[in-house]
């Protein structure tokens, strides 16, 4: 984790789509037309510029200064300035990445390959770049937060979420990735070296702070977890009054582990009956909670009769421990009932964490890298044969992306100059 706080100038970069390079070079010679083009583009996005705090943004913008990117064949980059607050914005044409020599078409290929699970080393073979250059590119994308980017896509802050930690390794040490998902969008992907409630509170707190910064009255109503104590504690600390539910699918998966020393047919039969119990409980809307309590008691009795007293008692204690979390899921129809979508997100990130191995050391930029990967997860469209073919996660959740081109969207949405 990067602990050093670097004092950098405010990032006020604006990625602007000039359609083609020739147009850009033509506009360089005409200050008025250049500014008009930039302003028209910003207007088309519906974004505001990040002026200084004291400025209402009502002033004029002028061309301020320019510099030449030598390593990119001498491309001239213009800066524009607000005449009121003197904030300076760097206008990056779409064919240039911030601080990078890499061309966006190269970045597009290697990011797509990274997202698909190819190792950083092999992604770097696709084009003649170093794996480190790719790692730094992903980190650079990750410097813009997930909440900022997702709300720029007009997604409302999530009221019901799934939260869980992915277990991973940094060299030989165990590490944890606290994650918040709503539908197909990742809202938080953090990094901790401990599984304590305090460590998770700090990580999930980064999401909470970013969200409250966007919307001061924001609060989470419901969260689904797999019932881990540190997770529950940290979420209750951050979101007082939140309803914490426990994933119903995990309940089904866990049952066989509670039944020991019985024959396979008996275990299978009990699992089927347990499945039916949940199915019925979810069908009966109004009386769901009451019905569940009764059914769980009957089921534990049934286990005692068919699989012996010890198994019956173990199942009864397990129900006692988890039932409040299950009730919570059934009591609120808007609560997600299973954590499947979170598991999918974790599986996707898992492949990339393996790819990260060569760079995984305690001094790495883990948080920025993970956030960058989460941006790819949210903004790269699903492949042609997928259920939501051609749409990205943000669009599936009802958000809007600035253009039809995911790479351009990534550049625009992670630009620091927009508000
Ligand atoms: Zn201003």
């Amino acid at each position: 984790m990067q602990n050093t706080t670097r004092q950098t100038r405010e990032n006020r970069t604006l990625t602007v789509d000039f359609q083609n390079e020739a147009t850009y070079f033509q506009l360089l010679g005409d200050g008025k037309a250049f500014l008009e083009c930039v302003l028209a583009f910003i207007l088309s996005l519906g974004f505001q510029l990040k002026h200084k705090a004291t400025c209402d943004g009502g002033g004029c913008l002028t061309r301020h200064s320019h510099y030449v990117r030598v390593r990119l064949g001498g491309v001239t980059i213009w800066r524009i300035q607000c005449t009121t607050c003197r904030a300076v914005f760097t206008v990056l044409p779409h064919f240039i990445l911030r601080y990078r020599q890499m061309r966006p078409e190269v970045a597009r290929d290697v990011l797509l390959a990274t997202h698909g699970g190819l190792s950083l080393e092999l992604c770097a073979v696709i084009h003649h770049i170093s794996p480190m250059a790719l790692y730094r590119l992903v980190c650079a994308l990750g410097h813009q937060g997930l909440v900022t980017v997702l709300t720029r896509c007009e997604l409302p802050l999530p009221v019901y979420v799934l939260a869980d930690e992915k277990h991973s390794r940094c060299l030989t040490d165990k590490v944890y990735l606290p994650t918040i998902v709503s539908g197909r969008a990742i809202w938080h992907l953090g990094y901790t070296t401990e599984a304590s409630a305090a460590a998770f509170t700090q990580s999930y707190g980064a999401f909470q702070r970013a969200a409250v910064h966007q919307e001061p009255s924001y609060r989470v109503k419901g969260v689904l977890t797999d019932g881990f104590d540190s997770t529950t504690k940290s979420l209750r600390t951050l979101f007082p009054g939140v309803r914490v539910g426990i994933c119903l699918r995990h309940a089904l998966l866990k049952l066989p582990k509670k039944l020991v020393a019985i024959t396979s047919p008996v275990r299978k039969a009990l699992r089927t009956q347990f499945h039916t119990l949940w199915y019925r409980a979810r069908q009966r809307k109004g009386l769901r909670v009451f019905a569940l309590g009764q059914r769980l008691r009957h089921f534990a009795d049934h286990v005692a009769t068919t699989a012996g007293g010890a198994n019956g008692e173990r199942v009864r204690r397990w129900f006692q421990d988890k039932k409040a979390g299950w009730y919570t899921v059934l009591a609120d129809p808007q609560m997600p009932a299973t954590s499947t979508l979170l598991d999918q997100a974790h599986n996707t990130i898992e492949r990339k964490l393996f790819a990260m191995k060569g760079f995984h050391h305690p001094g790495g930029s883990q948080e920025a890298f993970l956030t960058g990967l989460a941006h790819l997860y949210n903004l790269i469209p699903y492949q042609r044969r997928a259920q939501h073919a051609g749409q990205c996660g943000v669009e599936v959740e009802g958000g809007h992306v600035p253009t039809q081109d995911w790479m351009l969207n990534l550049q625009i949405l992670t630009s620091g100059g927009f508000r």
Side-chain angles (χ1 to χ4, degrees):
M1 207 189 308
Q2 199 120 39
N3 286 323
T4 50
T5 41
R6 268 174 292 168
Q7 210 47 48
T8 47
R9 239 187 322 176
E10 188 97 58
N11 168 8
R12 286 201 173 87
T13 308
L14 312 170
T15 292
V16 174
D17 183 13
F18 286 94
Q19 308 295 330
N20 57 63
E21 295 188 29
T23 309
Y24 179 73
F25 292 116
Q26 210 180 331
L27 285 171
L28 284 180
D30 185 344
K32 191 164 171 284
F34 180 91
L35 261 179
E36 274 168 10
C37 184
V38 172
L39 292 174
F41 178 74
I42 295 164
L43 201 66
S44 75
L45 294 179
F47 288 170
Q48 306 281 316
L49 293 185
K50 192 159 73 186
H51 289 263
K52 290 188 182 165
T54 49
C55 184
D56 65 358
C60 289
L61 290 164
T62 57
R63 279 224 284 194
H64 170 62
S65 62
H66 63 80
Y67 67 95
V68 175
R69 285 277 187 98
V70 179
R71 289 201 293 183
L72 283 161
V75 179
T76 303
I77 305 290
W78 270 97
R79 291 198 181 103
I80 59 177
Q81 188 175 38
C82 167
T83 51
T84 311
C85 70
R86 310 253 157 228
V88 174
F89 302 88
T90 304
V91 178
L92 278 193
H94 61 284
F95 54 90
I96 287 185
L97 295 173
R98 182 170 182 249
Y99 292 147
R100 246 142 275 276
Q101 229 181 316
M102 202 185 295
R103 297 208 34 117
E105 55 269 29
V106 174
R108 178 193 303 272
D109 290 349
V110 294
L111 288 175
L112 192 60
T114 304
H115 177 65
L118 197 65
S119 71
L120 290 186
E121 285 81 357
L122 281 178
C123 289
V125 172
I126 294 175
H127 288 280
H128 292 285
I129 56 166
S130 71
M132 194 45 123
L134 175 54
Y135 175 79
R136 288 203 179 116
L137 172 65
V138 177
C139 290
L141 297 171
H143 281 129
Q144 206 62 238
L146 286 162
V147 169
T148 309
V149 168
L150 291 173
T151 50
R152 273 178 189 170
C153 297
E154 295 166 54
L155 276 183
L157 291 166
V159 178
Y160 292 88
V161 299
L162 308 173
D164 193 15
E165 303 80 30
K166 171 108 202 113
H167 293 214
S168 186
R169 285 193 174 276
C170 177
L171 299 179
T172 54
D173 297 334
K174 282 199 85 168
V175 296
Y176 310 87
L177 315 183
T179 312
I180 293 177
V181 157
S182 171
R184 285 164 199 280
I186 298 180
W187 285 85
H188 178 71
L189 187 59
Y191 184 90
T192 68
T193 51
E194 280 171 59
S196 65
F200 290 172
T201 304
Q202 195 176 20
S203 181
Y204 288 124
F207 164 78
Q208 189 258 2
R209 281 188 300 277
V212 168
H213 181 73
Q214 290 282 342
E215 176 56 62
S217 65
Y218 175 68
R219 66 188 203 93
V220 176
K221 274 194 194 157
V223 49
L224 191 77
T225 70
D226 70 354
F228 188 56
D229 206 34
S230 293
T231 317
T232 309
K233 272 191 191 144
S234 64
L235 292 164
R236 286 198 196 281
T237 307
L238 290 165
F239 303 105
V242 69
R243 296 182 196 129
V244 182
I246 299 180
C247 174
L248 299 186
R249 199 175 58 93
H250 275 85
L252 268 179
L253 296 175
K254 284 265 172 71
L255 177 75
K257 286 173 199 148
K258 304 288 168 191
L259 305 168
V260 295
I262 54 167
T263 61
S264 174
V266 175
R267 186 179 288 116
K268 266 190 195 151
L270 285 172
R271 192 178 186 278
T272 307
Q273 285 153 9
F274 196 47
H275 189 277
T276 309
L277 181 157
W278 284 115
Y279 183 77
R280 295 221 176 113
R282 290 187 67 190
Q283 295 272 299
R284 298 186 46 181
K285 294 201 171 100
L287 286 167
R288 294 196 300 184
V289 171
F290 170 72
L292 181 70
Q294 204 172 43
R295 277 159 206 266
L296 287 176
R297 269 194 307 280
H298 288 168
F299 187 81
D301 292 344
H302 178 62
V303 171
T305 326
T306 53
N311 280 320
E313 188 49 36
R314 195 176 306 109
V315 167
R316 200 188 318 273
R317 262 183 282 134
W318 177 52
F319 286 173
Q320 204 61 39
D321 201 31
K322 301 287 176 187
K323 70 179 182 193
W326 295 333
Y327 288 171
T328 306
V329 173
L330 293 173
D332 185 342
Q334 285 178 279
M335 272 291 274
T338 73
S339 59
T340 310
L341 290 169
L342 182 91
D343 297 341
Q344 283 173 4
H346 273 166
N347 290 341
T348 308
I349 295 298
E350 168 89 26
R351 293 199 289 274
K352 290 171 255 298
L353 289 174
F354 189 74
M356 189 186 174
K357 262 183 161 176
F359 301 90
H360 220 30
H361 58 89
S365 310
Q366 271 85 331
E367 299 214 339
F369 186 77
L370 288 164
T371 304
L373 291 179
H375 285 318
L376 300 182
Y377 181 86
N378 291 340
L379 291 169
I380 292 182
Y382 298 111
Q383 43 94 1
R384 258 171 290 177
R385 291 173 191 277
Q387 188 190 356
H388 298 287
Q391 285 186 297
C392 65
V394 164
E395 290 172 291
V396 174
E397 291 310 312
H400 300 280
V401 286
T403 74
Q404 295 289 307
D405 180 336
W406 67 264
M407 182 64 204
L408 191 55
N409 291 339
L410 202 57
Q411 288 171 262
I412 293 168
L413 292 166
T414 56
S415 290
F418 294 120
R419 221 164 20 108

